[in-house]
Amino acid sequence: MSQQLPPGIVVVTGASRGIGRDLVTLLLASGREVVGLARHTDTAAAGDPPVVGCSRISADLSSAGGIDDGIEQIHRAVDGRPVAALVNGAGAVTPVGPLTQQSSESMIRALCLMAVAPARLAAGVAGLMPWGGRILNLSTRSAHETFPGLGLYCMSKHALHSVGQSLQMELAPRIAVAELIPGEVDTAMQADLRRPDQDSFPMAEFFRGNRSNLIPSALAARFCHWVLTQTPEPQFTSETPWYIYDEQSQRQWLSPGTEFPYPAP
């Protein structure tokens, strides 16, 4: 399969666990150098030797100071070399519960992490990206719908959707921007949704009963990798978000004969 990304480093946020960590593994295996950002890099590195080709950066993207620090560290790690792509994968679903019960601090931190950080990181690396560079924002159905008890997460992801649309218009044609929904994936975020009692978060019962339908993180990362590196322009900048449950795209990124037994929620 042809490589659609230009030469350069790939920057991935949320790189210490879940889809982000598995995507970093795929990128490294394909010969890409990676700069991975996470709030706690020791989670990914515990007991493991340093990974050749991967620079780990610890940055709290839920605050303005943490975002600025993350951008500075990216520039030091890249050291003037080209950045082929930015993947905004960092996110958090907690705290859950009614929006009216969330503090101003919780709202600001959620918006920083899932909307302000992707916008500022894009601004921070755009000057390092060659023609054909790409930005991929990992999104969710909650960016387009609103669910009870998930108001904090939904409003932040709605904002991310708007950020992506703005970047798509402002950075074209030199840099392409796309949104991707990886579906219901077996990650720590899903565990966070199963944990609350039903009185404080009624949807917890749904998430507890949905465990058998969760997509393995490595499979979701494979979908992300295909969209980022293999889809030609202008297919990459689809008008609608990339959706892992779309059967037409599954025929392109899944190996022949491979089944996808995970139903759309």
Side-chain angles (χ1 to χ4, degrees), residues 189-205:
M189 290 179 66
Q190 282 287 324
D192 289 337
L193 293 171
R194 295 192 296 267
R195 192 170 294 116
D197 62 74
Q198 193 164 354
D199 291 336
S200 62
F201 181 49
M203 287 193 72
E205 192 61 31

Side-chain angles (χ1 to χ4, degrees), residues 32-262:
R32 286 284 173 177
E33 186 175 350
V34 178
V35 173
L37 281 75
R39 185 175 180 183
H40 300 296
T41 58
D42 57 334
T43 301
D48 295 335
V51 178
V52 176
C54 182
S55 300
R56 292 192 175 101
I57 291 175
S58 178
D60 183 359
L61 300 180
S62 64
S63 70
I67 294 169
D68 291 342
D69 178 58
I71 294 172
E72 290 180 8
Q73 291 191 70
I74 290 171
H75 278 262
R76 287 198 296 270
V78 169
D79 194 25
R81 293 171 293 169
V83 172
L86 166 66
V87 180
N88 288 306
V93 75
T94 55
V96 298
L99 189 62
T100 54
Q101 296 179 10
Q102 305 298 338
S103 67
S104 298
E105 181 181 358
S106 293
M107 292 183 182
I108 291 170
R109 290 182 67 83
L111 285 167
C112 272
L113 177 63
M114 289 176 275
V116 178
R120 292 292 300 132
L121 289 169
V125 303
L128 299 171
M129 301 182 83
W131 189 283
R134 294 183 171 186
I135 297 173
L136 183 64
N137 294 326
L138 300 196
S139 188
T140 168
R141 286 193 307 141
S142 295
H144 305 272
E145 301 179 46
T146 303
F147 301 97
L150 290 175
L152 198 66
Y153 184 65
C154 292
M155 76 174 193
S156 302
K157 288 297 189 177
H158 273 73
L160 174 63
H161 174 65
S162 181
V163 166
Q165 290 185 314
S166 295
L167 293 175
Q168 197 172 62
M169 292 184 289
E170 295 166 1
L171 297 178
R174 189 172 66 87
I175 298 171
V177 182
E179 177 182 351
L180 181 149
I181 300 176
E184 304 291 311
V185 184
D186 192 8
T187 64
M189 290 179 66
Q190 282 287 324
D192 289 337
L193 293 171
R194 295 192 296 267
R195 192 170 294 116
D197 62 74
Q198 193 164 354
D199 291 336
S200 62
F201 181 49
M203 287 193 72
E205 192 61 31
F206 163 79
F207 289 107
R208 283 193 280 268
N210 194 48
R211 295 186 70 171
S212 62
N213 296 323
L214 296 181
I215 300 167
S217 176
L219 185 60
R222 183 177 167 192
F223 175 56
C224 297
H225 186 266
W226 173 76
V227 171
L228 181 67
T229 67
Q230 304 298 330
T231 55
E233 189 68 29
Q235 184 185 7
F236 175 75
T237 52
S238 171
E239 291 185 4
T240 57
W242 289 96
Y243 197 37
I244 196 169
Y245 300 104
D246 179 67
E247 293 183 1
Q248 183 174 354
S249 65
Q250 285 175 8
R251 290 194 289 269
Q252 300 177 65
W253 66 273
L254 287 174
S255 302
T258 302
E259 294 186 359
F260 187 87
Y262 310 100

